Structure formats: C-alpha cells, structure tokens
Amino acid sequence: MAVATEAATAAPVLEETVAARILRVVSKLPVQLLLIAVGLLWLVPTIGLFVTSILPASHFDQAGWWKVFSKPSLATWSNYDQIFHNHQITHALITTLEIAVGGTVLPIMVAALAGYAFAWLDFPGRDWLFVAVIAMLVVPLQMALIPIFKLYSHLNLYGNVFGLILFHTAFGLPFAIFLLRNFFIGIPKDIFESARIDGASEVRIFLRLILPLGLPAIASLAIFQFLWTWNDLLVALVFGGNTRPITVAIFTQLRSFSANIDIIGPAAFVSLAIPLAVFFAFQRYFVQGLLAGSVK
C-alpha cells in the first residue's frame, strides 16, 4: 500500500518535470531559430566563395554562383588542380605559412617570459614598464610603416620572410604580454611558493608550472596572432618586396579579375580554410583565453 502511494506521488512530479523541460525548450526556441538564421546568413559569403571556386570561369560570367544548385553538373574540381600546379600560388602558401608560424611562435615565446616577469617577479619599475607596454596598444600600425621601412632598408631586412616575422612580432607583443600577464597573475601564489620551497628555480617554475597552466591563454593568443599574420596584406605589400604571401598573390590576380576568377576563387578559399582549421583545432581554449584575468 505504501509502495503504491509513493508511486502515485512520484508520477505527478515526473509529469511536472517533463512539462517543465518542454516549456523551457519551447521558450528558448525563438532565440535558437534566430541564432540559426543569423549563422546561416553569416555563412552565405563563405558558401558563395566555395561554389565560385568550383565553377568554370566562363559560367561564372554568365550567371551567379547560386545557379550551381539548379545545375550541379557545372561544378568542377579542375580549378583546385590548377592552383596546386600553379607555382606562384603554392610558393605563396608556403611563404605565408613560414611568416604565420614564425610570427606566432616568436611573440608567444617572448610574451610568455615577459608575462611571467610582470606577474610574479619583483624588479624596479615593473608597474611603470607594464603601463608603457599597455600604452603601445594604442599605437596604430600605419604610423610605423615609414620609419620601419627606412630601418629595414639599412638592415637589409626588406623583402624577406625574417623581416615580416619581426614586424608582426613587434606589433603583436603588447597585446600578447597584456593577455598572458593577466592570466598568469590569476594562478594561485601558493603553487610558486611550494615549488620554491622544494628548490625549483625560476626557469623550472616557468617551464613546469607556468606553461602548462597557461595553456588556455597561450592557445587563444596563438589563434589571434596566427589569424592576424595569415590574413595580413598591408605589411606584406609594404615590406614584402618579392616575398609574396597568399594575400599579395591573390591581390595581384585581382588586377585582371575577369580573366583569373578560376585562380582567385580556389586560392581565396584555401587561404580561408587553413586559418579556420587552426581556429577549430584550438576553439576549446578560445573562451578561456578571452576571459583570462577577468575573474580572480
């Protein structure tokens, strides 16, 4: 009798729980549909670029890219075969990868050391020096183009990969130091004190504690820096010379747009796909890195 009473009492509770869930899902449905619609609209340019990249140039001139959905036979992969046999495009992709990797790894290495020093090492003028680093965030990149151009001409850094890496490193460091310092300062101090009591040096603390614990911020910073360096056009045009990354290679094809759409389309989509792959590979660290230092 008691068991039957308990079952009868539990049934309404179960029904209320299911009803509450249904009500919660229905209440969120309009927002979710709106977000899906915005997401689809946001993807339209990317879808259009991909469809354009698999269309023959002659058909693209006659009709829009959306015509491929009514006539799928128009699509062809020959455009991609051509660009991967195009020495200018393949060389530009390799050059861009060298610049992007170098312009990402070097500032992260320097910023990690500087961020640790600003967060946990006491030295004279530390706060004022950090304020100076933050002040560099407001300096526009365009202000440095002419002075750096003159400096590069004297140092023979103009027109080579190393010069472009150094420029991206210099302008990426202020934000990188700011982000990593704010993340490192949120790490509990007891961890460092315990390590020092055990006889660990500052170098060992940095390698064994700071870098593993700071991985979310470092990965988030790597995404920002890689995307910015990969997609750069202005710096490459000013300091690249004969060293042409993919953005400059595509830009040169735009001068005769109607004749080279079969090259521009697939090259632009490949240039888009690589940083997207990097973003999705590190996306689980992205939000954690964005919130670095915001909560202690």
Side-chain angles (χ1 to χ4, degrees):
M1 187 69 177
V3 175
T5 304
E6 290 178 1
T9 305
V13 175
L14 181 61
E15 291 176 0
E16 289 177 2
T17 304
V18 173
R21 280 184 196 169
I22 294 174
L23 184 60
R24 186 168 58 252
V25 171
V26 171
S27 63
K28 293 181 179 180
L29 190 59
V31 177
Q32 293 175 347
L33 291 176
L34 177 62
L35 292 176
I36 292 173
V38 172
L40 291 176
L41 288 174
W42 192 268
L43 287 174
V44 167
T46 304
I47 297 172
L49 177 61
F50 173 71
V51 175
T52 301
S53 69
I54 59 175
L55 278 177
S58 57
H59 288 84
F60 181 81
D61 293 337
Q62 297 173 5
W65 57 266
W66 51 87
K67 297 296 182 181
V68 74
F69 295 108
S70 59
K71 194 175 181 181
S73 60
L74 293 175
T76 176
W77 296 102
S78 61
N79 293 341
Y80 284 92
D81 183 66
Q82 290 178 16
I83 68 162
F84 285 115
H85 288 85
N86 186 318
H87 175 71
Q88 180 183 358
I89 298 299
T90 53
H91 182 70
L93 284 171
I94 295 173
T95 302
T96 308
L97 188 62
E98 293 173 352
I99 296 171
V101 172
T104 301
V105 174
L106 185 58
I108 286 178
M109 291 174 58
V110 176
L113 292 168
Y116 174 63
F118 281 123
W120 293 111
L121 298 182
D122 292 324
F123 56 89
R126 181 186 67 175
D127 295 336
W128 286 106
L129 187 58
F130 183 69
V131 170
V133 171
I134 299 304
M136 294 180 186
L137 287 171
V138 302
V139 177
L141 181 147
Q142 291 80 1
M143 288 183 59
L145 293 180
I146 294 177
I148 297 297
F149 182 85
K150 293 180 178 179
L151 179 64
Y152 274 22
S153 299
H154 287 92
L155 298 178
N156 295 322
L157 291 173
Y158 175 80
N160 59 63
V161 171
F162 185 63
L164 293 173
I165 291 174
L166 285 181
F167 190 95
H168 288 301
T169 299
F171 274 86
L173 273 177
F175 175 73
I177 294 173
F178 171 74
L179 179 67
L180 294 184
R181 182 261 183 191
N182 285 353
F183 191 91
F184 293 161
I185 206 170
I187 299 175
K189 188 177 181 180
D190 297 342
I191 298 177
F192 304 112
E193 293 178 349
S194 300
R196 291 189 180 100
I197 291 173
D198 292 338
S201 64
E202 296 296 337
V203 175
R204 192 176 184 86
I205 290 174
F206 176 77
L207 295 176
R208 294 296 182 89
L209 292 177
I210 290 293
L211 291 184
L213 293 175
L215 184 60
I218 292 173
S220 180
L221 175 61
I223 293 174
F224 279 116
Q225 187 68 13
F226 186 88
L227 293 179
W228 178 55
T229 307
W230 181 276
N231 293 320
D232 170 71
L233 175 62
L234 177 61
V235 176
L237 280 175
V238 175
F239 302 108
N242 293 325
T243 302
R244 295 184 172 184
I246 189 63
T247 51
V248 178
I250 295 174
F251 175 76
T252 57
Q253 299 293 330
L254 284 171
R255 296 175 183 176
S256 51
F257 182 85
S258 59
N260 296 327
I261 186 63
D262 53 335
I263 296 177
I264 294 173
F269 188 79
V270 171
S271 176
L272 169 71
I274 293 176
L276 274 179
V278 172
F279 174 79
F280 285 121
F282 295 98
Q283 65 174 334
R284 65 189 180 120
Y285 300 112
F286 188 67
V287 176
Q288 298 178 49
L290 284 177
L291 298 176
S294 61
V295 180
K296 292 187 65 176

